Amino acid sequence: MRVVEVKRETKETKILVKLNPDGKGIVKVESGVPFFDHMLTAMARHGGFDLTCTAKGDLHVDCHHTIEDIGIVLGDAVKQVIGEGRGIRRFAHAVIPMDESLGEVALDCGGRGYLVWKGAFGNKLVGTIPADIFEHFFYSLCTRAGITAHISFSGKNDHHQCEAAFKAFGISLGQALALTGDKKVRSTKGKF
């Protein structure tokens, strides 16, 4: 079992993430931001990995620090799961429709953190969350985890667009972290 637990405490937030990439999609998320809990739940459940995430943040200010720091801690957990990269699939992609919306994600869990984000929400808020924080969440997660991610979405309904992107990311992450049955590092360099 590749179960990882990461804690991070600052003056702004207190975050705990427990990640099991070999799980069954069992999710318990309590960030204090209900719409974000919904997105993380969709990501993990459809990705097929177990995720526990509890967060206490300075929500009296806004949700920025809480969501950003969850990205950081989740990225650190994914990085620990990846380790040297031995035996993981490494690459994965998913295209997920949600009614009129479409989310597309391609991932490389090869140690190079980078995010390409293509899509725009029609409103300033998605749920109760400033629309720009979602890109920042994925940037924080990917740079900490060493994941290159291309995330794109389109549609009319912001909720559907956001959820399609999170589901596509979760499915891609679950597949990229999946064990292949060997101990190979999928790299021409021989290591990540």
Side-chain angles (χ1 to χ4, degrees):
M1 297 286 288
R2 299 178 294 161
V3 179
V4 173
E5 186 174 302
V6 179
K7 297 177 184 178
R8 182 173 190 261
E9 189 169 347
T10 71
K11 292 180 180 178
E12 298 166 339
T13 62
K14 183 177 182 180
I15 314 285
L16 166 70
V17 166
K18 188 173 181 181
L19 175 65
N20 177 1
D22 307 312
K24 297 180 180 175
I26 299 168
V27 184
K28 180 183 176 189
V29 178
E30 296 173 357
S31 71
V33 185
F35 184 77
F36 192 66
D37 292 355
H38 177 49
M39 293 299 104
L40 288 180
T41 298
M43 181 179 79
R45 186 152 299 136
H46 289 279
F49 49 87
D50 296 348
L51 176 66
T52 299
C53 175
T54 57
K56 295 197 183 307
D58 55 358
L59 295 177
H60 62 282
V61 175
D62 66 15
C63 62
H64 182 100
H65 297 140
T66 300
I67 293 174
E68 174 184 42
D69 287 4
I70 289 171
I72 289 169
V73 177
L74 182 55
D76 289 346
V78 170
K79 187 173 184 76
Q80 285 185 36
V81 168
I82 293 169
E84 295 178 344
R86 294 193 179 281
I88 65 166
R89 182 176 288 159
R90 180 179 169 175
F91 298 100
H93 66 278
V95 179
I96 304 302
M98 185 164 183
D99 296 343
E100 87 301 337
S101 296
L102 190 68
E104 300 178 76
V105 173
L107 295 183
D108 173 8
C109 293
R112 295 162 61 119
Y114 198 86
L115 174 66
V116 176
W117 179 265
K118 294 180 182 176
F121 297 112
N123 298 293
K124 291 182 180 179
L125 297 176
V126 183
T128 59
I129 302 170
D132 64 341
I133 193 64
F134 294 102
E135 179 179 3
H136 190 63
F137 164 76
F138 282 112
Y139 172 83
S140 299
L141 191 165
C142 291
T143 56
R144 292 297 278 236
I147 295 172
T148 294
H150 288 249
I151 300 173
S152 63
F153 57 91
S154 60
K156 294 179 182 176
N157 181 288
D158 288 345
H159 183 130
H160 293 168
Q161 291 183 97
C162 193
E163 190 166 342
F166 269 83
K167 287 177 179 176
F169 187 90
I171 290 167
S172 299
L173 183 62
Q175 291 175 357
L177 296 177
L179 295 172
T180 61
D182 60 39
K183 296 292 183 183
K184 293 180 183 175
V185 175
R186 280 157 176 75
S187 171
T188 55
K189 298 175 180 68
K191 68 182 213 173
F192 290 165

